[in-house]
């Protein structure tokens, strides 16, 4: 796998580049992992609803062909785009998503933070009262508030064409979180979004990008 650190790049231009790479690649094309951050941008997935964008306040809203609903990208967030031939790797979409989430959990664990999956809600979440606690989430979530006590630290949305993936996963490091208040993150009203700084972890973007990239690479080269 070729790993590329793109730095801060325009969102729409990066999506165009991923699409072109995926459409032109052949059976022997080496997989790539792009790590980057974007200027402030709201992105709508295929399942996105216009009314989940509450108050864009001048931030552009870009319609995309990834799965999922609306999310926010901005400076201080590590965005990882794995351009992977799933057929060659011998896995299906569900396993691919599981591996992406595992890489997030492993990256968080390297800082002492415990990440959690929530059934039916892709991405990774943390306990707001004690993000360093190791206990698993227990019991059914309240029907009227499925994310009670949790904050979302990583969002996930992918596209697969001809067995090859693009789009990916975003891990919040040290962001201005206010723009998340302008949307229902991933379609969930009131879902709180956090970053590593919120959790008491102070790490710079290059360091987190490297750790995250290494763990993604390990998950996707098996």
């Amino acid at each position: 796998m070729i790993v590329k650190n793109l730095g801060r790049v325009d969102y729409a231009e990066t999506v165009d580049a991923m699409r072109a790479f995926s459409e032109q690649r052949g059976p022997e094309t080496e997989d790539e992992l792009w790590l980057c951050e974007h200027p402030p941008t709201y992105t709508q997935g295929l399942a996105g609803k216009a009314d989940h964008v509450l108050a864009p306040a001048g931030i552009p809203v870009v319609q995309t062909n990834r799965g999922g609903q609306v999310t926010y990208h901005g400076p201080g967030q590590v965005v990882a785009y794995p351009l992977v031939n799933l057929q060659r790797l011998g896995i299906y979409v569900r396993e691919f998503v599981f591996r992406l989430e595992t890489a997030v959990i492993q990256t968080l664990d390297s800082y002492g933070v415990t990440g959690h999956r929530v059934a039916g809600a892709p991405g990774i979440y943390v306990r707001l009262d004690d993000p360093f606690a190791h206990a698993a989430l227990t019991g059914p979530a309240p029907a009227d508030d499925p994310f009670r006590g949790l904050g979302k630290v990583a969002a996930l949305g992918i596209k697969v064409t001809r067995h090859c993936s693009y789009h990916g996963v975003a891990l919040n490091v040290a962001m201005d979180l206010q723009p998340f208040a302008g949307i229902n993150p991933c379609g969930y009203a009131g879902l709180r979004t956090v970053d590593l700084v919120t959790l008491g972890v102070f790490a710079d973007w290059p360091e987190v990008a490297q750790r995250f990239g290494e763990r993604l690479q390990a998950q996707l080269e098996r």
Side-chain angles (χ1 to χ4, degrees), residues 42-54 61-72 156-158 183-188:
Y42 291 126
T43 74
Q44 276 279 29
L46 293 173
K49 299 179 180 179
D51 58 0
H52 287 312
V53 181
L54 309 175
V61 181
V62 179
Q63 186 67 45
T64 79
N65 63 348
R66 63 166 172 78
Q69 301 198 42
V70 66
T71 193
Y72 170 72
L156 188 152
I158 63 170
I183 59 174
N184 291 332
C186 302
Y188 297 104

Side-chain angles (χ1 to χ4, degrees), residues 164-178:
C164 294
S165 72
Y166 61 105
H167 292 287
V169 57
L171 174 60
N172 304 332
V173 179
M175 304 179 69
D176 174 7
L177 297 171
Q178 184 58 37

Side-chain angles (χ1 to χ4, degrees), residues 4-221:
K4 297 181 177 179
N5 189 327
L6 306 182
R8 187 173 301 179
V9 289
D10 179 79
Y11 176 80
E13 291 178 2
T14 308
V15 172
D16 287 344
M18 286 191 291
R19 182 186 296 114
F21 176 91
S22 300
E23 291 175 350
Q24 295 167 11
R25 69 181 299 170
E28 303 307 317
T29 301
E30 192 167 1
D31 293 336
E32 296 193 3
L33 173 63
W34 297 359
L35 301 169
C36 64
E37 63 179 345
H38 296 301
T41 312
Y42 291 126
T43 74
Q44 276 279 29
L46 293 173
K49 299 179 180 179
D51 58 0
H52 287 312
V53 181
L54 309 175
I59 296 174
V61 181
V62 179
Q63 186 67 45
T64 79
N65 63 348
R66 63 166 172 78
Q69 301 198 42
V70 66
T71 193
Y72 170 72
H73 293 309
Q77 179 186 64
V78 176
V79 186
Y81 294 128
L83 309 175
V84 176
N85 185 327
L86 302 185
Q87 186 175 52
R88 189 170 59 200
L89 192 58
I91 64 175
Y92 294 99
V93 171
R94 180 172 294 186
E95 173 68 16
F96 179 58
V97 170
F98 183 86
R99 293 190 187 193
L100 297 184
E101 291 179 335
T102 298
V104 175
I105 291 170
Q106 291 174 339
T107 303
L108 293 174
D109 183 65
S110 74
Y111 292 104
V113 174
T114 301
H116 300 274
R117 294 180 174 92
V118 173
I124 295 299
Y125 303 79
V126 295
R127 295 180 185 273
L128 295 175
D129 61 344
D130 188 357
F132 304 98
H134 296 301
L137 302 181
T138 58
D144 61 338
D145 188 5
F147 302 102
R148 182 176 298 171
L150 299 178
K152 190 167 191 173
V153 71
L156 188 152
I158 63 170
K159 171 72 174 178
V160 176
T161 180
R162 297 186 300 119
H163 308 292
C164 294
S165 72
Y166 61 105
H167 292 287
V169 57
L171 174 60
N172 304 332
V173 179
M175 304 179 69
D176 174 7
L177 297 171
Q178 184 58 37
F180 284 102
I183 59 174
N184 291 332
C186 302
Y188 297 104
L191 172 60
R192 184 174 172 188
T193 304
V194 296
D195 58 9
L196 289 181
V197 170
T198 306
L199 305 177
V201 175
F202 299 90
D204 61 19
W205 190 96
E207 175 190 301
V208 179
Q210 180 176 345
R211 289 195 191 190
F212 191 24
E214 289 170 351
R215 283 152 181 83
L216 282 166
Q217 191 172 7
Q219 287 293 324
L220 299 174
E221 287 188 334

